[in-house]
Amino acid sequence: MQDEALSYVVGEEKGLCELLLDSEVQPLLEGMLVAGATSAAITDQDGDELWVARDPARLGKEIVSLPISLEGETVGALRIGGPDETAQTLICIAQLLGVAIDTLLRTNLKRMLTTEIHTSVVNSSYDELIEANRQLTESEMRYRKLAESLEQKVKERSAELKKAHAHLLQQEKMAAVGQLASGIAHEINNPLGFITSNLHTLQKYVSRLITMLEYQKTLFGIKMDDEAKMQHADHKWQELKLNSILTDVGDLLQESLNGAERVTRIVADLKGFSHVDELGAVPVDINAELERTLSVLTHELGTHATIVREFQPLPLLPCMPATLGQVFLNIIMNAIQAKPSGLKLTLSTAWDGERIRISIADNGPGIPHDIRAKIFEPFFTTREVGSGTGMGLAVVYDTVLRLGGMVAVTDSAAGGADFTITIPIRRD
């Protein structure tokens, strides 16, 4: 009888419904919907749903099912549904949610066992207390091992999530580079187009000039007085329209040279922006970096955007210039997307002796106050699903933070958004 009572205290099997509360589980599942999932559910071993959260307005298939284990045995599953385009992100978040649920299970089980043991001990005899103490000691050792194992798993999962986060940041950078490359390719194709057209025209002109030279050579071999030869040559000259060719060829060559120089400038701007020849931290002129960013975004800004520069002399900032250029690129691209036409962009810099201040302000619709605290969070976006990763401003925040600085957004004087970056300069 004693063995049965004590066995119940320390080893009786518990189900998920006995170990988890609605108030603990439901907010976690609803949080998955906020993160972009269309459904999130916890099922038992038979696949029956115990807790579920669904977004009836959105459709999505199941993208991941993670087993829920207790003391080495599978007792249920965490099932997440969502769109294909955010599957990788949702899988990472689901793994973190699985760790949270695992922690809740182990904590609640330990608390329940402790409560049951306490109740049993109060009503037990001295012998039962001795036996209960022994089993409690064994149970404590077992849960200590489980806690150590859980701690190690949390560290491993944290490392995995950190790696996944870094991978997502890199993907955002590559997406921005891809968009930039697409625009620059268009800018390069324009001059290349008329250079190619001019070369085809020049090819035809050269063919006519060769025809004229061959005709002249033939005339020299014919016995005919000079005046007759001149008349024949002049007739052929007029037939080939060589006067118009000689008039046009200079313009064609000059246009082609101008186009080639334009391509050279575009490539030079892109090379300067990417800093492919600079590895590691180097002294960076922030004003020049802003100008480089504007240069590579000429195709996005178009001819209707107004750029106001309010630059002050600044000390050089030791950093990786390519990452700083990425910060400026992401903020300016946001402004362009928010105000496709009639954009007014005001770039200003200042130095107070300790910190560099950079302001990028626009006249777009601005950012509502209720979401300003969220815009730098990974995956947060106000754009439609599939049109933004929500990582652009997360890259900005992460990069500025690594420089020891801060980034904030306020209302601009023109009614749009004003992103202000403050970076300290450490002087020995």
Side-chain angles (χ1 to χ4, degrees):
M1 192 68 181
Q2 289 179 347
D3 290 342
E4 292 178 358
L6 291 173
S7 175
Y8 170 77
V9 169
V10 297
E12 183 180 10
E13 293 184 355
K14 303 292 182 183
L16 288 176
C17 290
E18 295 174 278
L19 295 174
L20 297 176
L21 300 175
D22 291 350
S23 59
E24 294 174 330
V25 177
Q26 202 64 35
L28 295 177
L29 298 181
E30 292 173 357
M32 283 299 302
L33 300 188
V34 176
T38 57
S39 66
I42 293 178
T43 62
D44 59 17
Q45 291 172 296
D46 299 325
D48 296 328
E49 293 180 344
L50 303 178
W51 295 275
V52 63
R54 286 193 177 87
D55 186 351
R58 299 169 58 213
L59 298 176
K61 64 179 183 181
E62 182 174 298
I63 59 173
V64 65
S65 176
L66 301 177
I68 299 174
S69 301
L70 186 62
E71 297 191 62
E73 296 183 2
T74 301
V75 294
L78 172 63
R79 301 177 182 272
I80 304 299
D84 289 336
E85 57 267 25
T86 59
Q88 188 61 42
T89 298
L90 292 175
I91 290 172
C92 291
I93 300 174
Q95 290 174 342
L96 185 58
L97 178 57
V99 173
I101 293 173
D102 186 67
T103 303
L104 279 174
L105 277 173
R106 297 180 187 280
T107 301
N108 289 353
L109 178 60
K110 185 174 181 180
R111 183 173 62 247
M112 182 178 292
L113 288 175
T114 301
T115 302
E116 291 176 347
I117 289 173
H118 176 74
T119 303
S120 177
V121 166
V122 170
N123 299 317
S124 295
S125 65
Y126 177 75
D127 291 337
E128 290 174 333
L129 289 174
I130 296 298
E131 179 64 18
N133 181 66
R134 183 186 67 79
Q135 295 198 22
L136 181 59
T137 301
E138 292 177 355
S139 179
E140 183 181 359
M141 292 177 63
R142 182 173 61 193
Y143 280 106
R144 184 174 296 173
K145 291 180 180 179
L146 288 173
E148 292 173 355
S149 175
L150 177 60
E151 183 179 0
Q152 181 61 32
K153 287 183 179 180
V154 169
K155 288 181 180 179
E156 292 173 358
R157 291 294 175 86
S158 297
E160 291 174 1
L161 287 173
K162 186 176 181 180
K163 184 178 180 180
H165 178 69
H167 180 66
L168 287 169
L169 291 179
Q170 184 63 27
Q171 281 186 324
E172 171 62 24
K173 292 177 182 179
M174 294 305 296
V177 169
Q179 185 176 1
L180 185 62
S182 175
I184 289 177
H186 177 73
E187 284 292 294
I188 291 176
N189 282 336
N190 284 339
L192 283 181
F194 65 74
I195 288 174
T196 302
S197 176
N198 288 351
L199 287 175
H200 283 304
T201 302
L202 285 171
Q203 187 179 39
K204 295 177 182 177
Y205 288 176
V206 169
S207 176
R208 292 189 185 185
L209 289 171
I210 291 173
T211 300
M212 185 64 200
L213 289 173
E214 290 176 345
Y215 185 76
Q216 288 278 36
K217 183 179 178 181
T218 302
L219 282 178
F220 284 134
I222 299 175
K223 292 182 179 181
M224 187 185 300
D225 61 74
D226 291 342
E227 184 177 352
K229 288 181 178 181
M230 286 295 295
Q231 289 178 350
H232 282 286
D234 184 65
H235 178 74
K236 190 66 174 178
W237 183 282
Q238 298 299 330
E239 179 185 329
L240 295 173
K241 300 179 181 179
L242 294 185
N243 283 330
S244 61
I245 288 178
L246 294 179
T247 302
D248 192 33
V249 71
D251 292 337
L252 289 177
L253 288 172
Q254 188 59 51
E255 287 179 2
S256 299
L257 288 172
N258 291 341
E261 290 172 359
R262 183 178 173 189
V263 171
T264 301
R265 285 196 303 272
I266 292 172
V267 173
D269 287 339
L270 181 60
K271 183 178 179 182
F273 174 77
S274 63
H275 298 276
V276 293
D277 298 328
E278 298 172 357
L279 299 176
V282 296
V284 176
D285 182 341
I286 289 181
N287 290 337
E289 202 62 40
L290 284 167
E291 289 288 3
R292 289 192 187 97
T293 306
L294 291 174
S295 295
V296 299
L297 285 175
T298 300
H299 59 286
E300 296 286 351
L301 292 166
T303 58
H304 302 294
T306 302
I307 309 297
V308 179
R309 298 168 175 83
E310 298 175 352
F311 297 160
Q312 293 184 15
L314 302 175
L316 298 179
L317 175 67
C319 69
M320 296 180 66
T323 60
L324 196 60
Q326 183 76 47
V327 168
F328 300 152
L329 178 74
N330 288 3
I331 295 177
I332 294 174
M333 282 298 297
N334 272 7
I336 294 172
Q337 292 165 356
K339 187 78 171 176
S341 61
L343 173 66
K344 180 180 179 182
L345 203 60
T346 302
L347 310 179
S348 61
T349 59
W351 161 247
D352 64 4
E354 294 183 357
R355 293 171 294 275
I356 291 177
R357 180 182 174 277
I358 307 148
S359 170
I360 303 176
D362 61 58
N363 62 336
I367 299 175
H369 289 267
D370 58 337
I371 65 170
R372 288 185 183 178
K374 303 178 182 178
I375 60 172
F376 297 109
E377 295 177 0
F379 316 118
F380 180 82
T381 179
T382 57
R383 299 167 66 187
E384 295 181 0
V385 175
S387 60
T389 63
M391 293 298 292
L393 292 179
V395 170
V396 170
Y397 182 84
D398 184 71
T399 302
V400 174
L401 193 65
R402 290 176 185 272
L403 292 172
M406 297 184 299
V407 58
V409 62
T410 58
D411 294 326
S412 70
D418 184 354
F419 285 86
T420 303
I421 300 169
T422 306
I423 304 174
I425 296 288
R426 296 180 178 87
R427 287 187 167 182
D428 297 332

